[in-house]
Amino acid sequence: MHLLLSGLTLAFVFCSAFLLAVDEEAEEPQVIILLGPPGSGKGTQAKRIAESLKIPHISTGDLFRENLKAGTPLGVKAKGYMESGKLVPDELVLDMLMDRVHKPDAKRGFLLDGFPRSIPQAEALKKHLGRLTPIVINLEVSDETVIKRIEGRLSCPNCGAIYNKYFSPSKSGKLCESCQGELNQRSDDRYEVVVERLKQYHNQTEPLIDFYSKDKILFSIPGERDPEVIYKEIMNKIRNR
Ligand code: AP5
């Protein structure tokens, strides 16, 4: 009897594993692109969406900041562009991005935050994705709100949590609520740099709204509301696609 039960259990485990494997293979990887001006809330929303869908959150800005911190040749090359609010040249961004999306954790899909940011970047991504169609979420926020939000932003250098001294301050004051890291302001969040970042956005990134609208894969979401309301609306768009 004991042997029979063990046999049945093994058969059940084997069948479930097989079904799971088949299921995973059948499932199409999900690619989500978050578009929007600086400070529109891409990072804030990306963290939650990626956690909920169990796919990696790939932020080109974060990848550059990690390289900068580690003093890699890529970080050294990107530094001047980032600190003046200019876009890092496409060839540097593309190599870094392609490396990241080929990592094993991105097999089931990924969420892109801050990429693509120009038509050549969007075309390179389209070529890379082949028959896979991404969903593009465009967060709409005015320039005035961007400036106010960025001026108040504080981030945790350890876990990446994002706060705002006006809209969502940390309950632990200058420390992160989750890991107690000391919150700091990004060096490219100075007023004159933000003005340049906005200029770059309007000239180079905004044309992507038309680029993706033509393929009918872009959904614009008003971004000047409660982050929770925005999150639910984005998740609805993703699930009902
Ligand atoms: P990156 O790091 O990508 O910066 P960004 O696009 O300018 O976006 P931010 O990170 O500033 O804002 P966000 O939209 O994520 O907003 P957040 O959620 O933090 O890029 C930095 C630089 O790297 C670029 O300038 C460029 O040089 C280079 N770079 C990166 N990618 C590149 C690429 N592909 N090509 C070339 N160069 C590239 O929110 C902002 C604040 O608002 C926070 O304080 C938050 O708490 C608050 N907030 C968020 N949502 C709400 C809400 N609904 N209500 C009230 N407050 C809110």
Side-chain angles (χ1 to χ4, degrees):
M1 181 66 179
H2 179 73
L3 264 179
L4 179 68
L5 276 177
S6 307
L8 282 174
T9 312
L10 260 178
F12 175 74
V13 170
F14 177 78
C15 282
S16 317
F18 179 73
L19 282 176
L20 271 176
V22 168
D23 230 24
E24 264 184 22
E25 268 179 32
E27 208 177 281
E28 185 152 283
Q30 210 163 19
V31 178
I32 298 158
I33 298 173
L34 281 191
L35 213 60
S40 53
K42 301 184 296 295
T44 304
Q45 297 297 336
K47 214 169 179 331
R48 282 193 69 186
I49 302 165
E51 269 166 24
S52 148
L53 299 175
K54 297 187 176 53
I55 53 174
H57 164 202
I58 301 179
S59 151
T60 39
D62 286 348
L63 290 175
F64 280 129
R65 279 184 287 278
E66 281 162 24
N67 276 279
L68 216 81
K69 209 170 154 191
T72 66
L74 178 62
V76 173
K77 283 184 197 152
K79 190 174 191 280
Y81 297 100
M82 293 177 80
E83 290 189 346
S84 60
K86 301 255 189 302
L87 291 192
V88 177
D90 287 342
E91 60 274 19
L92 297 182
V93 187
L94 286 171
D95 278 355
M96 177 182 79
L97 196 268
M98 293 307 166
D99 265 10
R100 180 62 190 89
V101 298
H102 280 108
K103 295 222 162 119
D105 66 338
K107 264 199 178 138
R108 289 187 54 246
F110 45 87
L111 183 156
L112 295 173
D113 158 11
F115 183 94
R117 247 176 160 103
S118 64
I119 298 284
Q121 288 183 15
E123 273 163 353
L125 178 68
K126 196 169 181 174
K127 209 165 153 199
H128 170 79
L129 292 177
R131 59 171 191 87
L132 261 185
T133 310
I135 175 166
V136 185
I137 303 291
N138 175 42
L139 291 172
E140 296 176 318
V141 171
S142 71
D143 288 5
E144 295 70 34
T145 302
V146 162
I147 288 170
K148 175 100 177 144
R149 278 189 189 174
I150 290 191
E151 204 241 308
R153 171 166 55 191
L154 290 169
S155 338
C156 175
N158 297 340
C159 72
I162 305 168
Y163 300 90
N164 194 289
K165 60 184 177 195
Y166 305 119
F167 309 113
S168 50
S170 162
K171 292 186 187 84
S172 314
K174 289 184 178 160
L175 301 180
C176 175
E177 283 171 22
S178 348
C179 73
Q180 301 300 301
E182 196 168 332
L183 303 180
N184 60 24
Q185 189 173 30
R186 266 169 48 179
S187 61
D188 61 344
D189 277 356
R190 285 172 290 124
Y191 177 78
E192 60 282 14
V193 183
V194 177
V195 170
E196 179 60 33
R197 282 161 65 195
L198 271 171
K199 201 170 122 196
Q200 298 279 326
Y201 167 76
H202 290 302
N203 289 340
Q204 306 221 46
T205 312
E206 216 171 18
L208 293 180
I209 297 178
D210 264 0
F211 180 93
Y212 287 120
S213 296
K214 280 186 195 137
D215 287 346
K216 299 190 170 48
I217 55 173
L218 178 130
F219 299 92
S220 285
I221 310 259
E224 298 191 27
R225 296 173 297 162
D226 187 81
E228 183 65 28
V229 175
I230 298 171
Y231 169 73
K232 286 193 176 136
E233 200 169 318
I234 296 176
M235 290 307 288
N236 261 336
K237 293 281 179 232
I238 295 173
R239 287 191 183 118
N240 298 326
R241 188 185 179 198

